Amino acid sequence: APGVYQLASLLVELDASDEASRILCADALYQMGCVEEAHKLLLLALSKNPQRSPILARLALLQLKKGFMYDGNQLLKKVIRIGDTSCLLPIMDIFKDEDRKLMQTHCRFRALTILK
């Protein structure tokens, strides 16, 4: 993760508008345990493009991880409204095991609540 972060940071320096490099940077920060820094970077990327499902889904996980269930739910709802949920499965590979379980459990619980 540190090497990926350094490479992604260099790519962001070369092209500040490169969203993919910003996301890669945020993923590396997350993997290194720098959740707040990853959150700030994702918020910056979201400010430039508020309808990007990959960014919203990552932010949803970070909100759930912090215990902000309402905020996490709102972000997940936005991803669903946008209609681009294809980003969720690849993102699950990036999440740490405990966070993957948190997201899966949360989504399953919400789905059951909605069905009831």
Side-chain angles (χ1 to χ4, degrees):
V4 172
Y5 174 71
Q6 289 175 340
L7 176 61
S9 295
L10 180 60
L11 291 171
V12 169
E13 283 182 36
L14 293 172
D15 183 4
S17 65
D18 183 17
E19 184 179 282
S21 296
R22 285 190 190 282
I23 292 173
L24 186 60
C25 232
D27 287 347
L29 285 167
Y30 162 78
Q31 286 293 326
M32 293 187 307
C34 302
V35 176
E36 286 303 317
E37 291 85 357
H39 189 259
K40 289 176 188 174
L41 197 57
L42 289 170
L43 286 176
L44 179 63
L46 189 64
S47 71
K48 295 176 189 283
N49 190 350
Q51 298 297 315
R52 288 286 292 147
S53 293
I55 298 169
L56 292 167
R58 285 169 171 85
L59 282 170
L61 169 76
L62 295 179
Q63 294 296 55
L64 293 174
K65 187 174 177 67
K66 292 178 182 181
F68 300 134
M69 298 302 169
Y70 179 79
D71 295 335
N73 283 338
Q74 294 306 307
L75 290 165
L76 288 171
K77 285 179 186 179
K78 195 168 185 180
V79 169
I80 293 166
R81 269 187 254 125
I82 291 170
D84 182 16
T85 57
S86 63
C87 67
L88 291 173
L89 195 54
I91 291 172
M92 293 300 271
D93 291 337
I94 297 166
F95 293 164
K96 295 177 182 176
D97 285 339
E98 67 268 9
D99 295 334
R100 186 179 309 120
K101 288 176 186 168
L102 172 68
M103 181 70 100
Q104 289 170 333
T105 302
H106 179 76
C107 289
R108 183 175 184 277
F109 175 75
R110 291 296 301 153
L112 290 173
T113 302
I114 290 168
L115 287 173
K116 287 180 183 176

